[in-house]
Amino acid sequence: REAAAARVPAAPAEGAEGVVRVMVRLPQGGRLTRAFASSDCLLSLFDWVAAEGADGGSDAAKLVTQFPRRVMQRASDAAGSTLGELGFQR
């Protein structure tokens, strides 16, 4: 968890341009919410979830977008892509 937390970029300033707000629903029913820069990579999202202890200690965690539905994994080709490149929007 500590290594993942060290890799999570600082949250962008309130009102900054290119900010993406992310909400993760956890299998246990809880939620996590945080802002990222659209230039942050998908791996940053996985690191944040791991740092919060919400990945169950597994690299097999998946992030799923609602619309359009996409399933993303840490080991995918898209893991190094930025959130903006992947279509995450404000």
Side-chain angles (χ1 to χ4, degrees), residues 4-90:
R7 292 189 300 265
V8 176
E14 188 71 31
E17 198 169 311
V19 174
V20 176
R21 295 212 37 91
V22 177
M23 191 274 296
V24 175
R25 265 190 259 181
L26 305 173
Q28 310 88 319
R31 293 181 181 180
L32 299 173
T33 304
R34 187 183 188 280
F36 286 88
S38 61
S39 58
D40 290 335
C41 70
L42 180 61
L43 283 175
S44 298
L45 222 65
F46 281 101
D47 287 335
W48 167 62
V49 171
E52 294 291 332
D55 66 349
S58 170
D59 278 343
K62 297 176 186 174
L63 297 174
V64 181
T65 61
Q66 285 188 318
F67 187 81
R69 183 174 168 75
R70 284 184 291 168
V71 179
M72 294 166 274
Q73 295 181 292
R74 180 181 286 273
S76 73
D77 292 338
S81 299
T82 67
L83 300 178
E85 291 169 342
L86 293 170
F88 284 79
Q89 298 175 2
R90 187 173 194 135

